[in-house]
Amino acid sequence: MGFGDLKSAAGLRVLNDFLADKSYIEGYVPSQADIAVFEAIGAPPPAELYHALRWYNHIKSYEKQKASLPGVKKALGKYGPADVEDTTGAATDSKDDDDIDLFGSDDEEESEEAKKLREERLAQYESKKSKKPAVVAKSSILLDVKPWDDETDMAKLEECVRSIQADGLVWGSSKLVPVGYGIKKLQIQCVVEDDKVGTDMLEERITAFEDYVQSMDVAAFNKI
C-alpha cells in the first residue's frame, strides 16, 4: 500500500489518479492522513496533475489548524492504493549522520533495489489501469420508414431494412403503424454504438431501397 515515491513524478501521478474521485486521503473530512501526505510532498504538484494540485491547495488552507485535525498520523505506506508500495525517502530514512558510508556499498545496492521494486510496482499499477474496459457509448433509435403508397410490399420493405448490417448495429422489434389512406409505415427499433453508426448512415442506406422507401425519420433517440 502506498503512493510510491511522492518526491518523484511517478509517485505524484499515482496520487493524482488516487484523488480523481476522492476529496481526501481517508474519509470525507480533512485528517492527519492528509497532513502526513501533504508534508511528504513538500511542494505543489504540477498543474497538469489537477486532482493532486486541487487537493494540495485545499489541505494547505488547513495549515494553521493541522494539529487539531482528527486522526493519528501513520506511516506513508498505510495510505494510498493497495498495490503500490511507498518508497518516499527510502534511500535516506534508515541512515543517520554517524553511519554515512563515504565509499557507498550495501546501502547504495539496497537503494537501487528499492528503486527497481518501486518502478516495477508502478508499472504494474499503470498496466492494471490501462486494462480497464472502455465504456462503449450506445443509443436506442426508433425509426419511421414510410413507403410510397398502400400497394408497397411492407414485408419486403422490412426485409430490405433488416438486410442492412454494420458493426455496432443491432435491429430490434418492429410494427406497422397506419398513417392514413390505407398506407402504413414501418416503425423499427435498433441499438447502435455511437462511434460506429449514425442516423445519417442509416438514412442513406435505408432510402437507397427506393423501390420501396419514400423517406425515413427518427421517431425517438435515447442514450443507453
Short mmCIF file of all heavy atoms in Angstrom, two decimals, residues 25-26 95 114:
data_model
loop_
_atom_site.label_atom_id
_atom_site.label_comp_id
_atom_site.label_asym_id
_atom_site.label_seq_id
_atom_site.Cartn_x
_atom_site.Cartn_y
_atom_site.Cartn_z
N ILE A 25 -7.51 11.95 1.58
CA ILE A 25 -6.77 10.68 1.56
C ILE A 25 -7.58 9.58 2.23
O ILE A 25 -7.62 8.45 1.77
CB ILE A 25 -5.40 10.84 2.25
CG1 ILE A 25 -4.56 11.90 1.54
CG2 ILE A 25 -4.65 9.51 2.30
CD1 ILE A 25 -4.24 11.59 0.09
N GLU A 26 -8.23 9.93 3.32
CA GLU A 26 -9.11 8.99 4.02
C GLU A 26 -10.40 9.70 4.41
O GLU A 26 -10.38 10.85 4.88
CB GLU A 26 -8.46 8.45 5.30
CG GLU A 26 -7.33 7.46 5.08
CD GLU A 26 -6.80 6.86 6.37
OE1 GLU A 26 -7.04 7.43 7.46
OE2 GLU A 26 -6.14 5.83 6.30
N LYS A 95 19.34 6.04 7.48
CA LYS A 95 20.70 6.50 7.73
C LYS A 95 20.71 7.57 8.79
O LYS A 95 19.86 8.43 8.81
CB LYS A 95 21.30 7.10 6.44
CG LYS A 95 21.82 6.07 5.48
CD LYS A 95 22.55 6.80 4.36
CE LYS A 95 23.15 5.83 3.37
NZ LYS A 95 23.84 6.53 2.30
N ALA A 114 15.44 -0.94 -4.10
CA ALA A 114 14.18 -0.27 -3.76
C ALA A 114 13.64 0.50 -4.95
O ALA A 114 12.44 0.49 -5.23
CB ALA A 114 14.40 0.68 -2.57
#
